[in-house]
Amino acid sequence: MEETKAPERETAERQRLRSRLVDLLNAYASEANHIGHAFAGKNHLHGPDLHALLAVMHAERAGAPLTPGRLGEAMGLSSGATTAMIDRLERGGHLRRARESNDRRVVHLRYGESGMSLAMAFFTPLAPRTDAVMEKFDVTELQVVERFVQGMVDALLSYRDELREQG
């Protein structure tokens, strides 16, 4: 009798954790969105502008800077809308176009110095808070969290791509 209760308890706990983690991820996304909107509003940016800046930053960190075409694809924007957004961000000093390859037709997008300064000034006060949370976990635990969050991001990206294909 006790043997059958253990799997039931594990299933119930898994369901509880699943529900709680989804709620926490939704709360995190919502709060991050609020902070992003505050940054955008303070710096006279549109919502998609912030997503573009994040995409450029992540690509730079990964050592694979975005081209305007890849940025447009990632954001689901037309070529014209992407160009208008890049022009606006470049005028504001948030982005710069760089020709870094032998093929001068290839343009990479990089963070602009003034844009990076604005982002650093706004987001630096958040760093000690997130660092304090991460200090509570050892490296092995953080690796599990990394694997989990990456899996969730991959699931979202897959669903986003599916939605785009549906039109």
Side-chain angles (χ1 to χ4, degrees):
M1 181 71 100
E2 186 62 34
E3 288 180 22
T4 59
K5 287 186 179 182
E8 288 174 12
R9 279 194 299 266
E10 185 175 318
T11 300
E13 179 62 3
R14 177 173 276 283
Q15 289 173 345
R16 185 197 70 77
L17 282 168
R18 182 195 177 286
S19 179
R20 180 69 177 136
L21 288 170
V22 168
D23 288 347
L24 288 170
L25 287 169
N26 285 334
Y28 179 87
S30 178
E31 294 308 319
N33 203 16
H34 287 301
I35 290 171
H37 282 293
F39 175 77
K42 184 174 182 166
N43 294 288
H44 312 291
L45 299 172
H46 302 179
D49 295 349
L50 181 61
H51 293 288
L53 290 172
L54 288 171
V56 168
M57 180 185 69
H58 291 161
E60 277 195 53
R61 281 186 184 169
L66 291 176
T67 62
R70 285 188 20 229
L71 176 62
E73 282 177 27
M75 296 190 61
L77 297 175
S78 69
S79 177
T82 302
T83 299
M85 180 178 58
I86 292 169
D87 288 346
R88 183 173 58 251
L89 289 170
E90 191 172 39
R91 278 192 308 274
H94 298 285
L95 281 185
R96 62 182 173 81
R97 291 174 169 100
R99 287 179 170 76
E100 301 164 339
S101 74
N102 292 335
D103 185 347
R104 299 283 296 155
R105 296 172 295 177
V106 176
V107 174
H108 289 111
L109 301 172
R110 299 287 189 174
Y111 240 93
E113 289 300 319
S114 64
M116 184 59 80
S117 295
L118 289 172
M120 292 297 289
F122 184 87
F123 289 104
T124 295
L126 179 59
R129 293 171 171 102
T130 58
D131 289 347
V133 172
M134 285 191 247
E135 286 297 321
K136 296 176 184 176
F137 298 86
D138 65 33
V139 170
T140 303
E141 291 171 317
L142 289 173
Q143 289 169 333
V144 171
V145 172
E146 176 188 35
R147 196 175 78 229
F148 172 78
V149 173
Q150 183 62 61
M152 297 304 277
V153 168
D154 292 345
L156 287 173
L157 290 171
S158 173
Y159 186 55
R160 180 198 69 188
D161 291 345
E162 183 181 314
L163 291 172
R164 284 184 181 164
E165 287 174 12
Q166 293 173 3

